[in-house]
Amino acid sequence: AGPDGRLRTNHKQNGTVSGRLSVERIQLQAIPQPYQMPKVDGLVGVRDLFIETEKCSCGCGVLEMWEFDVSQAEIRIATARAQCRPMLEGFYRGDDSHSIACRLMFGAVFDKDGFGGNEEAHPDWDEFRQVSKRCNLGILYGAGVKIIREQIMKFTGVVYPMRQVGIWVNQWNEAFPQMGERLELMSRMAQRQGFVKLINGRQRWFSPYEDVHKAFNQEVQGSLAEVMKEIMIEVENEFPNALLLQIHDSIILRLSRCQLAAGAADRVSKIMATRFEDAFVSRWKDSGKLVRVPFRSDAKRFGRKEIAA
């Protein structure tokens, strides 16, 4: 614990091959979200065990814990690196990546059933979107039909035939061909030169017996980690001593009500979104123009909202 009695994790920059920050002393990076907790009556969520108790020195009240999360950061980074136009156009429309995939993968079904342009009203929208989400998160990182089938079963409870899942995988690849091309390119590069470059030039090396099919995954995750490190530094400089935790694509700050009233939450969200957009702006081959993939940072309270007795 620090002098204020709070537990603190110790970040290490060289603890993982991907470049992600690892931690020691106390592991606080795997705090489950409410939806990841078992549905048991009376069970208190892990995040609800974090209680705000310390008061601001200016007397404005208890310091509040806020979490700032970059929405679907990995898929947005993959969109930028793969120069994936269908996903980009969906982001410009304001859709999230899973809805974008759902509209494209199941477009023929929606049109046939008379829901073209109103896809979310289709009775199977939630089921189709869950399938699309598992394809988004699996195929990008080299998962095969078997793994994606297992993930769909885990999150929907439905066991689909392997043949059906294989059809969905093909539909995803047809909807986003640039993603598959980037996956193959990065795998070949890792095989040929032994490493892939992250967004800031840092090299992620592969051991002689390491499977290179996850090279695109490592380019994305490693690049995300490098940008997050820059964000942490900028936030710490602007709001000294506020940073408590970093959890992959999110950070948790302890802010006073004075800071919040002065727009601190909006400022941190802007820092995060701008840093990512600036890092991944690039000239796309299909148009020759500089393209800026939109990023969004969401802010929400973290932990319980009352003072401990």
Side-chain angles (χ1 to χ4, degrees):
D4 58 2
R6 282 181 171 266
L7 289 171
R8 281 180 168 76
T9 187
N10 182 31
H11 287 96
K12 299 189 297 182
Q13 293 195 53
N14 60 349
T16 61
V17 293
S18 68
R20 275 185 167 185
L21 290 170
S22 63
V23 298
E24 62 183 4
R25 292 195 309 181
I26 177 171
Q27 167 60 287
L28 294 171
Q29 287 188 314
I31 304 168
Q33 297 279 359
Y35 73 87
Q36 296 171 314
M37 299 290 292
K39 301 297 185 291
V40 178
D41 289 341
L43 182 66
V44 177
V46 175
R47 291 173 179 239
D48 287 332
L49 298 177
F50 288 76
I51 303 172
E52 299 164 347
T53 60
E54 187 170 348
K55 294 185 178 181
C56 179
S57 59
C58 71
C60 69
V62 174
L63 293 168
E64 299 178 1
M65 285 184 286
W66 282 75
E67 180 174 15
F68 298 85
D69 175 77
V70 181
S71 174
Q72 301 181 343
E74 293 184 359
I75 296 180
R76 292 174 190 269
I77 292 171
T79 298
R81 301 307 288 161
Q83 299 189 3
C84 182
R85 183 67 63 177
M87 192 69 83
L88 176 73
E89 292 172 351
F91 286 139
Y92 281 160
R93 290 194 304 269
D95 278 347
D96 67 88
S97 63
H98 309 318
S99 294
I100 295 168
C102 186
R103 296 184 202 283
L104 293 176
M105 289 174 62
F106 297 97
V109 176
F110 294 137
D111 290 342
K112 178 177 70 67
D113 294 345
F115 288 86
N118 190 29
E119 294 86 354
E120 294 183 22
H122 192 282
D124 294 325
W125 167 264
D126 290 340
E127 178 185 350
F128 289 161
R129 188 180 182 279
Q130 190 61 243
V131 169
S132 304
K133 181 176 182 178
R134 297 308 134 199
C135 289
N136 268 347
L137 299 177
I139 300 172
L140 273 178
Y141 307 126
V145 173
K146 181 180 178 181
I147 297 298
I148 293 173
R149 179 173 179 260
E150 291 173 356
Q151 288 296 304
I152 293 173
M153 179 178 65
K154 176 181 177 181
F155 287 95
T156 67
V158 181
V159 181
Y160 291 101
M162 287 285 287
R163 181 175 177 276
Q164 178 61 71
V165 178
I167 291 172
W168 288 334
V169 169
N170 289 336
Q171 288 173 335
W172 190 93
N173 284 316
E174 290 171 3
F176 308 109
Q178 300 91 344
M179 295 289 196
E181 292 168 4
R182 185 69 180 184
L183 194 153
E184 291 296 325
L185 173 63
M186 299 312 292
S187 296
R188 291 197 303 271
M189 290 180 66
Q191 183 71 50
R192 183 176 67 251
Q193 63 191 20
F195 66 88
V196 295
K197 277 191 176 182
L198 307 183
I199 191 64
N200 60 353
R202 184 173 178 174
Q203 297 173 354
R204 191 301 200 191
W205 284 82
F206 286 75
S207 65
Y209 303 103
E210 192 174 1
D211 194 336
V212 298
H213 82 278
K214 61 181 179 180
F216 187 30
N217 167 283
Q218 294 300 285
E219 179 193 25
V220 170
Q221 287 197 21
S223 295
L224 187 157
E226 295 303 308
V227 177
M228 283 300 299
K229 293 169 190 175
E230 296 177 1
I231 288 170
M232 291 169 69
I233 293 170
E234 186 169 350
V235 169
E236 174 66 20
N237 287 337
E238 190 152 339
F239 302 98
N241 303 317
L243 182 61
L244 289 181
L245 291 174
Q246 181 268 346
I247 310 174
H248 304 316
D249 56 3
S250 68
I251 56 176
I252 298 171
L253 305 182
R254 188 176 51 174
L255 298 167
S256 71
R257 291 176 184 174
C258 295
Q259 290 173 314
L260 291 165
D266 289 340
R267 175 58 184 152
V268 174
S269 292
K270 184 176 181 179
I271 289 173
M272 295 184 76
T274 301
R275 275 284 185 176
F276 274 102
E277 289 183 4
D278 288 348
F280 293 99
V281 64
S282 61
R283 195 173 300 279
W284 283 29
K285 293 177 292 186
D286 63 353
S287 65
K289 298 179 180 179
L290 287 174
V291 174
R292 191 180 186 91
V293 175
F295 282 76
R296 190 183 79 233
S297 174
D298 299 321
K300 59 180 178 291
R301 292 284 294 276
F302 183 94
R304 290 169 67 178
K305 314 302 185 292
E306 70 274 5
I307 302 175

